[in-house]
Amino acid sequence: MDAYQKSRGGFTFDLCNRNKLLVEEKKLSVPKAFKTGTTIVGIVYKGGVVLGADTRATEGPIVCDKNCEKIHKISEKIWCCGAGTAADTENVTGLIGSQIELHRLSTGKEPRVITALTRLKQRLFQYQGYVSAALVLGGVDTEGGHIYTVWPHGSTDRLPYATMGSGSLAAMAIFEANYKDDMDEKEAINLVDSAIQAGIWNDLGSGGNVDIMVIDKKTGPRMMRNYKKLNERTFHAPGLYKFPKGTTALAQEGKERFAKIVVEAMEED
């Protein structure tokens, strides 16, 4: 009977009891969740969808990349913006993208956006939120343009416009004030640009430049990398940095070790 119960699958709370024991008796601290920063958005317009993202990557309070890419390819006409842990968003979208390509080759038909959505949410639900990937999925298929949000636990929403990430409230304020049905491409791009800029200027976790992806029913995808550069450096050194010899202090032990390495290298030659 026990073997039968195990084979049925479903939820198990054994690790919850283990973690409780470790905290209470072993006095171990529970790992805390990392706070991540991003502004990603998507909007449906008359001819397709427009996705947008900022380009700041952070490690806690440190900006480790000013120009990273947060818009990932699922298929030719299905793309995905990722917020959360960069490794998780890149790998989960890459995995689903490869599955969608195999599906396309097997069926001989262009994939539908709902197919990518189903595979993404099933994958994330398996890990109960431990894959830190909050996604805005957008694309066009035979039924038109679609925008979906996918939360790390696997829940989804279908909306005419969507925002996610730490700058999502600022971006949503722009959308709610200016969105209208059946916008043309230029209006949609300008609105997405304004929403991303609102996140960049009002959220410390968002920054860098504005990336925009247009997916049109007729012309296909068009990436606008660094559509707006908002934080370019205003000062550039006129030449290479030049420091006089001896600027960096070197301990006597280090000098002796360096001299020994030089002598050995000369003897080998």
Side-chain angles (χ1 to χ4, degrees), residues 87-128:
D88 288 346
T89 59
E90 287 188 19
N91 282 279
V92 76
T93 53
L95 174 66
I96 301 305
S98 64
Q99 294 179 0
I100 292 296
E101 178 63 12
L102 290 172
H103 178 75
R104 184 187 70 82
L105 295 171
S106 176
T107 61
K109 299 179 180 178
E110 289 300 317
R112 298 170 62 195
V113 183
I114 191 67
T115 306
L117 174 74
T118 302
R119 288 185 177 269
L120 278 170
K121 69 180 182 181
Q122 287 178 345
R123 184 72 179 179
L124 293 175
F125 180 73
Q126 285 181 333
Y127 291 89
Q128 292 293 292

mmCIF file of all heavy atoms in Angstrom, residues 87-128:
data_model
loop_
_atom_site.group_PDB
_atom_site.id
_atom_site.type_symbol
_atom_site.label_atom_id
_atom_site.label_comp_id
_atom_site.label_asym_id
_atom_site.label_seq_id
_atom_site.Cartn_x
_atom_site.Cartn_y
_atom_site.Cartn_z
ATOM 1 N N ALA A 87 19.498 33.939 -14.536
ATOM 2 C CA ALA A 87 19.776 32.569 -14.985
ATOM 3 C C ALA A 87 18.483 31.784 -15.168
ATOM 4 O O ALA A 87 18.339 31.003 -16.118
ATOM 5 C CB ALA A 87 20.683 31.866 -13.981
ATOM 6 N N ASP A 88 17.528 31.973 -14.264
ATOM 7 C CA ASP A 88 16.254 31.252 -14.364
ATOM 8 C C ASP A 88 15.462 31.685 -15.588
ATOM 9 O O ASP A 88 14.914 30.853 -16.316
ATOM 10 C CB ASP A 88 15.417 31.480 -13.094
ATOM 11 C CG ASP A 88 15.984 30.739 -11.891
ATOM 12 O OD1 ASP A 88 16.845 29.864 -12.104
ATOM 13 O OD2 ASP A 88 15.580 31.033 -10.762
ATOM 14 N N THR A 89 15.377 32.991 -15.817
ATOM 15 C CA THR A 89 14.590 33.471 -16.962
ATOM 16 C C THR A 89 15.219 33.031 -18.282
ATOM 17 O O THR A 89 14.513 32.607 -19.203
ATOM 18 C CB THR A 89 14.461 35.006 -16.929
ATOM 19 O OG1 THR A 89 15.769 35.597 -16.953
ATOM 20 C CG2 THR A 89 13.721 35.467 -15.696
ATOM 21 N N GLU A 90 16.545 33.108 -18.391
ATOM 22 C CA GLU A 90 17.207 32.714 -19.626
ATOM 23 C C GLU A 90 17.055 31.218 -19.895
ATOM 24 O O GLU A 90 16.764 30.797 -21.023
ATOM 25 C CB GLU A 90 18.691 33.082 -19.579
ATOM 26 C CG GLU A 90 18.954 34.581 -19.726
ATOM 27 C CD GLU A 90 20.440 34.872 -19.861
ATOM 28 O OE1 GLU A 90 21.194 33.938 -20.204
ATOM 29 O OE2 GLU A 90 20.833 36.019 -19.611
ATOM 30 N N ASN A 91 17.236 30.410 -18.865
ATOM 31 C CA ASN A 91 17.212 28.962 -19.072
ATOM 32 C C ASN A 91 15.809 28.415 -19.283
ATOM 33 O O ASN A 91 15.618 27.521 -20.108
ATOM 34 C CB ASN A 91 17.897 28.254 -17.900
ATOM 35 C CG ASN A 91 19.403 28.315 -17.988
ATOM 36 O OD1 ASN A 91 20.016 27.530 -18.700
ATOM 37 N ND2 ASN A 91 20.006 29.270 -17.300
ATOM 38 N N VAL A 92 14.828 28.933 -18.561
ATOM 39 C CA VAL A 92 13.475 28.405 -18.738
ATOM 40 C C VAL A 92 12.917 28.811 -20.096
ATOM 41 O O VAL A 92 12.239 28.017 -20.763
ATOM 42 C CB VAL A 92 12.546 28.844 -17.581
ATOM 43 C CG1 VAL A 92 12.121 30.298 -17.707
ATOM 44 C CG2 VAL A 92 11.299 27.954 -17.532
ATOM 45 N N THR A 93 13.201 30.029 -20.553
ATOM 46 C CA THR A 93 12.739 30.434 -21.882
ATOM 47 C C THR A 93 13.504 29.690 -22.976
ATOM 48 O O THR A 93 12.924 29.322 -24.009
ATOM 49 C CB THR A 93 12.879 31.950 -22.085
ATOM 50 O OG1 THR A 93 14.226 32.355 -21.779
ATOM 51 C CG2 THR A 93 11.920 32.712 -21.192
ATOM 52 N N GLY A 94 14.795 29.444 -22.764
ATOM 53 C CA GLY A 94 15.561 28.675 -23.736
ATOM 54 C C GLY A 94 15.075 27.245 -23.853
ATOM 55 O O GLY A 94 14.970 26.691 -24.958
ATOM 56 N N LEU A 95 14.740 26.642 -22.711
ATOM 57 C CA LEU A 95 14.228 25.268 -22.705
ATOM 58 C C LEU A 95 12.898 25.169 -23.436
ATOM 59 O O LEU A 95 12.698 24.300 -24.296
ATOM 60 C CB LEU A 95 14.080 24.781 -21.262
ATOM 61 C CG LEU A 95 13.424 23.413 -21.079
ATOM 62 C CD1 LEU A 95 14.298 22.317 -21.669
ATOM 63 C CD2 LEU A 95 13.141 23.138 -19.613
ATOM 64 N N ILE A 96 11.974 26.073 -23.103
ATOM 65 C CA ILE A 96 10.663 26.040 -23.742
ATOM 66 C C ILE A 96 10.783 26.394 -25.228
ATOM 67 O O ILE A 96 10.069 25.843 -26.072
ATOM 68 C CB ILE A 96 9.690 27.003 -23.028
ATOM 69 C CG1 ILE A 96 9.545 26.614 -21.557
ATOM 70 C CG2 ILE A 96 8.337 27.010 -23.717
ATOM 71 C CD1 ILE A 96 9.133 25.174 -21.331
ATOM 72 N N GLY A 97 11.711 27.304 -25.550
ATOM 73 C CA GLY A 97 11.935 27.635 -26.948
ATOM 74 C C GLY A 97 12.365 26.427 -27.764
ATOM 75 O O GLY A 97 11.900 26.220 -28.896
ATOM 76 N N SER A 98 13.251 25.583 -27.199
ATOM 77 C CA SER A 98 13.687 24.380 -27.912
ATOM 78 C C SER A 98 12.533 23.386 -28.059
ATOM 79 O O SER A 98 12.395 22.736 -29.102
ATOM 80 C CB SER A 98 14.860 23.728 -27.177
ATOM 81 O OG SER A 98 14.473 23.266 -25.900
ATOM 82 N N GLN A 99 11.684 23.275 -27.030
ATOM 83 C CA GLN A 99 10.527 22.385 -27.121
ATOM 84 C C GLN A 99 9.535 22.863 -28.179
ATOM 85 O O GLN A 99 8.980 22.057 -28.932
ATOM 86 C CB GLN A 99 9.837 22.289 -25.762
ATOM 87 C CG GLN A 99 10.673 21.610 -24.696
ATOM 88 C CD GLN A 99 9.966 21.565 -23.344
ATOM 89 O OE1 GLN A 99 8.828 22.044 -23.204
ATOM 90 N NE2 GLN A 99 10.626 21.013 -22.351
ATOM 91 N N ILE A 100 9.342 24.175 -28.245
ATOM 92 C CA ILE A 100 8.423 24.730 -29.244
ATOM 93 C C ILE A 100 8.957 24.513 -30.660
ATOM 94 O O ILE A 100 8.197 24.225 -31.593
ATOM 95 C CB ILE A 100 8.184 26.231 -28.970
ATOM 96 C CG1 ILE A 100 7.404 26.416 -27.667
ATOM 97 C CG2 ILE A 100 7.443 26.887 -30.127
ATOM 98 C CD1 ILE A 100 6.007 25.838 -27.674
ATOM 99 N N GLU A 101 10.276 24.623 -30.839
ATOM 100 C CA GLU A 101 10.869 24.377 -32.156
ATOM 101 C C GLU A 101 10.692 22.918 -32.572
ATOM 102 O O GLU A 101 10.378 22.622 -33.736
ATOM 103 C CB GLU A 101 12.348 24.765 -32.130
ATOM 104 C CG GLU A 101 13.100 24.505 -33.422
ATOM 105 C CD GLU A 101 12.590 25.304 -34.612
ATOM 106 O OE1 GLU A 101 11.792 26.246 -34.408
ATOM 107 O OE2 GLU A 101 12.995 24.990 -35.748
ATOM 108 N N LEU A 102 10.887 21.990 -31.631
ATOM 109 C CA LEU A 102 10.653 20.573 -31.931
ATOM 110 C C LEU A 102 9.186 20.330 -32.270
ATOM 111 O O LEU A 102 8.870 19.529 -33.164
ATOM 112 C CB LEU A 102 11.078 19.706 -30.738
ATOM 113 C CG LEU A 102 12.582 19.627 -30.463
ATOM 114 C CD1 LEU A 102 12.840 18.893 -29.151
ATOM 115 C CD2 LEU A 102 13.297 18.935 -31.602
ATOM 116 N N HIS A 103 8.305 21.003 -31.568
ATOM 117 C CA HIS A 103 6.866 20.887 -31.846
ATOM 118 C C HIS A 103 6.553 21.397 -33.254
ATOM 119 O O HIS A 103 5.758 20.787 -33.993
ATOM 120 C CB HIS A 103 6.088 21.683 -30.796
ATOM 121 C CG HIS A 103 4.603 21.680 -31.002
ATOM 122 N ND1 HIS A 103 3.816 20.594 -30.723
ATOM 123 C CD2 HIS A 103 3.764 22.635 -31.479
ATOM 124 C CE1 HIS A 103 2.556 20.869 -31.010
ATOM 125 N NE2 HIS A 103 2.499 22.107 -31.471
ATOM 126 N N ARG A 104 7.187 22.501 -33.644
ATOM 127 C CA ARG A 104 6.963 23.053 -34.988
ATOM 128 C C ARG A 104 7.445 22.096 -36.064
ATOM 129 O O ARG A 104 6.767 21.873 -37.082
ATOM 130 C CB ARG A 104 7.694 24.391 -35.122
ATOM 131 C CG ARG A 104 7.451 25.105 -36.448
ATOM 132 C CD ARG A 104 8.347 26.333 -36.589
ATOM 133 N NE ARG A 104 9.740 25.966 -36.766
ATOM 134 C CZ ARG A 104 10.277 25.616 -37.936
ATOM 135 N NH1 ARG A 104 9.530 25.592 -39.033
ATOM 136 N NH2 ARG A 104 11.552 25.309 -38.011
ATOM 137 N N LEU A 105 8.617 21.505 -35.842
ATOM 138 C CA LEU A 105 9.160 20.563 -36.818
ATOM 139 C C LEU A 105 8.311 19.294 -36.904
ATOM 140 O O LEU A 105 8.160 18.701 -37.975
ATOM 141 C CB LEU A 105 10.603 20.202 -36.455
ATOM 142 C CG LEU A 105 11.622 21.351 -36.535
ATOM 143 C CD1 LEU A 105 12.952 20.915 -35.940
ATOM 144 C CD2 LEU A 105 11.803 21.811 -37.969
ATOM 145 N N SER A 106 7.755 18.880 -35.772
ATOM 146 C CA SER A 106 6.935 17.668 -35.745
ATOM 147 C C SER A 106 5.593 17.862 -36.435
ATOM 148 O O SER A 106 5.123 16.989 -37.171
ATOM 149 C CB SER A 106 6.717 17.222 -34.295
ATOM 150 O OG SER A 106 5.850 16.112 -34.237
ATOM 151 N N THR A 107 4.962 19.003 -36.203
ATOM 152 C CA THR A 107 3.630 19.245 -36.759
ATOM 153 C C THR A 107 3.659 19.898 -38.136
ATOM 154 O O THR A 107 2.684 19.812 -38.886
ATOM 155 C CB THR A 107 2.807 20.137 -35.812
ATOM 156 O OG1 THR A 107 3.477 21.406 -35.661
ATOM 157 C CG2 THR A 107 2.654 19.477 -34.447
ATOM 158 N N GLY A 108 4.763 20.574 -38.452
ATOM 159 C CA GLY A 108 4.838 21.288 -39.720
ATOM 160 C C GLY A 108 4.023 22.563 -39.739
ATOM 161 O O GLY A 108 3.738 23.110 -40.808
ATOM 162 N N LYS A 109 3.649 23.064 -38.569
ATOM 163 C CA LYS A 109 2.831 24.275 -38.460
ATOM 164 C C LYS A 109 3.486 25.261 -37.508
ATOM 165 O O LYS A 109 4.224 24.863 -36.596
ATOM 166 C CB LYS A 109 1.424 23.936 -37.963
ATOM 167 C CG LYS A 109 0.643 23.001 -38.879
ATOM 168 C CD LYS A 109 -0.721 22.688 -38.300
ATOM 169 C CE LYS A 109 -1.507 21.746 -39.201
ATOM 170 N NZ LYS A 109 -2.825 21.405 -38.629
ATOM 171 N N GLU A 110 3.196 26.537 -37.713
ATOM 172 C CA GLU A 110 3.709 27.559 -36.808
ATOM 173 C C GLU A 110 3.061 27.404 -35.430
ATOM 174 O O GLU A 110 1.844 27.203 -35.339
ATOM 175 C CB GLU A 110 3.439 28.952 -37.365
ATOM 176 C CG GLU A 110 4.287 29.304 -38.574
ATOM 177 C CD GLU A 110 5.771 29.264 -38.271
ATOM 178 O OE1 GLU A 110 6.176 29.762 -37.211
ATOM 179 O OE2 GLU A 110 6.521 28.731 -39.099
ATOM 180 N N PRO A 111 3.836 27.503 -34.342
ATOM 181 C CA PRO A 111 3.270 27.308 -32.999
ATOM 182 C C PRO A 111 2.326 28.435 -32.599
ATOM 183 O O PRO A 111 2.482 29.582 -33.031
ATOM 184 C CB PRO A 111 4.502 27.277 -32.103
ATOM 185 C CG PRO A 111 5.532 28.054 -32.857
ATOM 186 C CD PRO A 111 5.273 27.793 -34.305
ATOM 187 N N ARG A 112 1.367 28.120 -31.769
ATOM 188 C CA ARG A 112 0.454 29.116 -31.212
ATOM 189 C C ARG A 112 1.008 29.627 -29.892
ATOM 190 O O ARG A 112 1.747 28.934 -29.193
ATOM 191 C CB ARG A 112 -0.928 28.502 -31.009
ATOM 192 C CG ARG A 112 -1.589 28.034 -32.296
ATOM 193 C CD ARG A 112 -2.836 27.234 -32.005
ATOM 194 N NE ARG A 112 -3.833 28.045 -31.311
ATOM 195 C CZ ARG A 112 -4.900 27.533 -30.682
ATOM 196 N NH1 ARG A 112 -5.081 26.231 -30.627
ATOM 197 N NH2 ARG A 112 -5.757 28.333 -30.100
ATOM 198 N N VAL A 113 0.614 30.827 -29.546
ATOM 199 C CA VAL A 113 1.108 31.441 -28.312
ATOM 200 C C VAL A 113 0.628 30.657 -27.091
ATOM 201 O O VAL A 113 1.361 30.499 -26.113
ATOM 202 C CB VAL A 113 0.655 32.917 -28.225
ATOM 203 C CG1 VAL A 113 1.227 33.576 -26.969
ATOM 204 C CG2 VAL A 113 1.093 33.690 -29.459
ATOM 205 N N ILE A 114 -0.590 30.126 -27.147
ATOM 206 C CA ILE A 114 -1.135 29.383 -26.007
ATOM 207 C C ILE A 114 -0.331 28.111 -25.745
ATOM 208 O O ILE A 114 -0.238 27.644 -24.606
ATOM 209 C CB ILE A 114 -2.631 29.048 -26.251
ATOM 210 C CG1 ILE A 114 -3.292 28.530 -24.974
ATOM 211 C CG2 ILE A 114 -2.787 28.064 -27.393
ATOM 212 C CD1 ILE A 114 -3.407 29.535 -23.886
ATOM 213 N N THR A 115 0.294 27.552 -26.791
ATOM 214 C CA THR A 115 1.139 26.365 -26.620
ATOM 215 C C THR A 115 2.371 26.707 -25.786
ATOM 216 O O THR A 115 2.737 25.979 -24.852
ATOM 217 C CB THR A 115 1.571 25.806 -27.985
ATOM 218 O OG1 THR A 115 0.415 25.571 -28.783
ATOM 219 C CG2 THR A 115 2.345 24.511 -27.822
ATOM 220 N N ALA A 116 3.018 27.821 -26.122
ATOM 221 C CA ALA A 116 4.178 28.266 -25.344
ATOM 222 C C ALA A 116 3.775 28.595 -23.911
ATOM 223 O O ALA A 116 4.497 28.271 -22.955
ATOM 224 C CB ALA A 116 4.822 29.482 -26.006
ATOM 225 N N LEU A 117 2.613 29.243 -23.758
ATOM 226 C CA LEU A 117 2.136 29.591 -22.418
ATOM 227 C C LEU A 117 1.924 28.336 -21.575
ATOM 228 O O LEU A 117 2.336 28.284 -20.406
ATOM 229 C CB LEU A 117 0.823 30.369 -22.532
ATOM 230 C CG LEU A 117 0.126 30.666 -21.198
ATOM 231 C CD1 LEU A 117 0.866 31.750 -20.451
ATOM 232 C CD2 LEU A 117 -1.324 31.056 -21.408
ATOM 233 N N THR A 118 1.295 27.324 -22.141
ATOM 234 C CA THR A 118 1.004 26.093 -21.398
ATOM 235 C C THR A 118 2.288 25.410 -20.956
ATOM 236 O O THR A 118 2.408 24.966 -19.806
ATOM 237 C CB THR A 118 0.172 25.138 -22.268
ATOM 238 O OG1 THR A 118 -1.032 25.794 -22.661
ATOM 239 C CG2 THR A 118 -0.182 23.878 -21.496
ATOM 240 N N ARG A 119 3.260 25.333 -21.834
ATOM 241 C CA ARG A 119 4.524 24.691 -21.468
ATOM 242 C C ARG A 119 5.271 25.486 -20.396
ATOM 243 O O ARG A 119 5.872 24.915 -19.484
ATOM 244 C CB ARG A 119 5.395 24.508 -22.704
ATOM 245 C CG ARG A 119 4.880 23.425 -23.650
ATOM 246 C CD ARG A 119 5.835 23.190 -24.797
ATOM 247 N NE ARG A 119 5.372 22.113 -25.658
ATOM 248 C CZ ARG A 119 5.691 20.826 -25.505
ATOM 249 N NH1 ARG A 119 6.470 20.475 -24.494
ATOM 250 N NH2 ARG A 119 5.254 19.903 -26.337
ATOM 251 N N LEU A 120 5.243 26.813 -20.495
ATOM 252 C CA LEU A 120 5.907 27.641 -19.485
ATOM 253 C C LEU A 120 5.275 27.481 -18.115
ATOM 254 O O LEU A 120 5.975 27.270 -17.114
ATOM 255 C CB LEU A 120 5.867 29.113 -19.917
ATOM 256 C CG LEU A 120 6.915 29.597 -20.915
ATOM 257 C CD1 LEU A 120 6.573 30.994 -21.395
ATOM 258 C CD2 LEU A 120 8.305 29.570 -20.293
ATOM 259 N N LYS A 121 3.957 27.575 -18.060
ATOM 260 C CA LYS A 121 3.313 27.531 -16.735
ATOM 261 C C LYS A 121 3.394 26.144 -16.116
ATOM 262 O O LYS A 121 3.519 26.020 -14.885
ATOM 263 C CB LYS A 121 1.868 28.015 -16.829
ATOM 264 C CG LYS A 121 0.907 27.114 -17.559
ATOM 265 C CD LYS A 121 -0.482 27.745 -17.563
ATOM 266 C CE LYS A 121 -1.513 26.865 -18.231
ATOM 267 N NZ LYS A 121 -2.857 27.482 -18.258
ATOM 268 N N GLN A 122 3.372 25.097 -16.934
ATOM 269 C CA GLN A 122 3.515 23.751 -16.384
ATOM 270 C C GLN A 122 4.923 23.549 -15.825
ATOM 271 O O GLN A 122 5.098 22.934 -14.766
ATOM 272 C CB GLN A 122 3.221 22.710 -17.460
ATOM 273 C CG GLN A 122 1.748 22.588 -17.813
ATOM 274 C CD GLN A 122 1.484 21.586 -18.924
ATOM 275 O OE1 GLN A 122 2.407 21.174 -19.630
ATOM 276 N NE2 GLN A 122 0.229 21.204 -19.107
ATOM 277 N N ARG A 123 5.912 24.067 -16.537
ATOM 278 C CA ARG A 123 7.295 23.948 -16.060
ATOM 279 C C ARG A 123 7.487 24.689 -14.743
ATOM 280 O O ARG A 123 8.110 24.170 -13.798
ATOM 281 C CB ARG A 123 8.243 24.504 -17.124
ATOM 282 C CG ARG A 123 9.713 24.364 -16.801
ATOM 283 C CD ARG A 123 10.150 22.932 -16.925
ATOM 284 N NE ARG A 123 11.566 22.765 -16.634
ATOM 285 C CZ ARG A 123 12.195 21.602 -16.653
ATOM 286 N NH1 ARG A 123 11.531 20.495 -16.951
ATOM 287 N NH2 ARG A 123 13.480 21.526 -16.377
ATOM 288 N N LEU A 124 6.977 25.912 -14.644
ATOM 289 C CA LEU A 124 7.151 26.704 -13.428
ATOM 290 C C LEU A 124 6.361 26.116 -12.260
ATOM 291 O O LEU A 124 6.822 26.140 -11.112
ATOM 292 C CB LEU A 124 6.732 28.151 -13.683
ATOM 293 C CG LEU A 124 7.634 28.927 -14.652
ATOM 294 C CD1 LEU A 124 7.053 30.303 -14.927
ATOM 295 C CD2 LEU A 124 9.038 29.058 -14.094
ATOM 296 N N PHE A 125 5.161 25.585 -12.535
ATOM 297 C CA PHE A 125 4.346 25.011 -11.468
ATOM 298 C C PHE A 125 5.024 23.792 -10.843
ATOM 299 O O PHE A 125 4.870 23.543 -9.635
ATOM 300 C CB PHE A 125 2.975 24.615 -12.014
ATOM 301 C CG PHE A 125 2.071 24.008 -10.971
ATOM 302 C CD1 PHE A 125 1.495 24.804 -9.992
ATOM 303 C CD2 PHE A 125 1.804 22.646 -10.961
ATOM 304 C CE1 PHE A 125 0.659 24.249 -9.024
ATOM 305 C CE2 PHE A 125 0.974 22.089 -10.005
ATOM 306 C CZ PHE A 125 0.404 22.887 -9.035
ATOM 307 N N GLN A 126 5.793 23.060 -11.639
ATOM 308 C CA GLN A 126 6.503 21.894 -11.108
ATOM 309 C C GLN A 126 7.441 22.280 -9.968
ATOM 310 O O GLN A 126 7.655 21.501 -9.042
ATOM 311 C CB GLN A 126 7.329 21.235 -12.219
ATOM 312 C CG GLN A 126 6.528 20.440 -13.216
ATOM 313 C CD GLN A 126 7.427 19.812 -14.274
ATOM 314 O OE1 GLN A 126 8.506 20.336 -14.559
ATOM 315 N NE2 GLN A 126 7.005 18.705 -14.842
ATOM 316 N N TYR A 127 7.999 23.479 -10.034
ATOM 317 C CA TYR A 127 9.006 23.897 -9.057
ATOM 318 C C TYR A 127 8.439 24.815 -7.984
ATOM 319 O O TYR A 127 9.202 25.359 -7.175
ATOM 320 C CB TYR A 127 10.185 24.563 -9.781
ATOM 321 C CG TYR A 127 10.985 23.570 -10.588
ATOM 322 C CD1 TYR A 127 10.655 23.301 -11.909
ATOM 323 C CD2 TYR A 127 12.036 22.872 -10.010
ATOM 324 C CE1 TYR A 127 11.371 22.369 -12.648
ATOM 325 C CE2 TYR A 127 12.767 21.946 -10.743
ATOM 326 C CZ TYR A 127 12.423 21.695 -12.059
ATOM 327 O OH TYR A 127 13.130 20.772 -12.789
ATOM 328 N N GLN A 128 7.126 25.028 -7.980
ATOM 329 C CA GLN A 128 6.443 25.711 -6.874
ATOM 330 C C GLN A 128 7.041 27.083 -6.544
ATOM 331 O O GLN A 128 7.135 27.470 -5.389
ATOM 332 C CB GLN A 128 6.449 24.823 -5.639
ATOM 333 C CG GLN A 128 5.591 23.575 -5.764
ATOM 334 C CD GLN A 128 4.110 23.905 -5.837
ATOM 335 O OE1 GLN A 128 3.523 24.367 -4.864
ATOM 336 N NE2 GLN A 128 3.502 23.699 -6.998
#
